């Protein structure tokens, strides 16, 4: 990823959405495009499930 982080245009998403994408990218090595697609295809409850799973098991699947 570039040195300059983009994540999401702040005017189009909530702070929670930006934090979701940022965590997927920085903590789990998921490409930004895939993280944005994940955000776009999930409800708030589903995003909570995704994060709960990754927080518990993400260290096993982290991409370097």
């Amino acid at each position: 990823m570039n040195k300059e982080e983009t994540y999401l245009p702040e005017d189009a998403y909530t702070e929670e959405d930006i934090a979701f994408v940022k965590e997927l990218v920085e903590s789990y090595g998921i490409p930004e495009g895939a993280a944005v697609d994940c955000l776009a295809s999930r409800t708030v409850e589903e995003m909570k499930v995704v994060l709960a799973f990754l927080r518990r098991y993400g260290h096993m699947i982290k991409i370097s």
Side-chain angles (χ1 to χ4, degrees):
M1 188 161 76
N2 332 8
K3 197 166 193 152
E4 184 179 319
E5 299 169 349
T6 54
Y7 297 120
L8 296 168
E10 292 189 28
D11 58 340
Y13 297 93
T14 66
E15 287 183 25
E16 185 177 71
D17 293 343
I18 294 168
F20 174 78
V21 171
K22 186 175 182 177
E23 182 171 350
L24 292 181
V25 172
E26 291 181 356
S27 298
Y28 306 107
I30 297 172
E32 184 177 348
V36 172
D37 288 347
C38 183
L39 171 68
S41 65
R42 303 284 175 245
T43 65
V44 173
E45 291 301 317
E46 290 171 332
M47 288 187 326
K48 289 178 184 177
V49 171
V50 168
L51 285 178
F53 173 83
L54 287 173
R55 287 174 181 154
R56 178 172 253 179
Y57 301 107
H59 67 281
M60 293 183 220
I61 59 174
K62 185 174 180 180
I63 301 169
S64 53

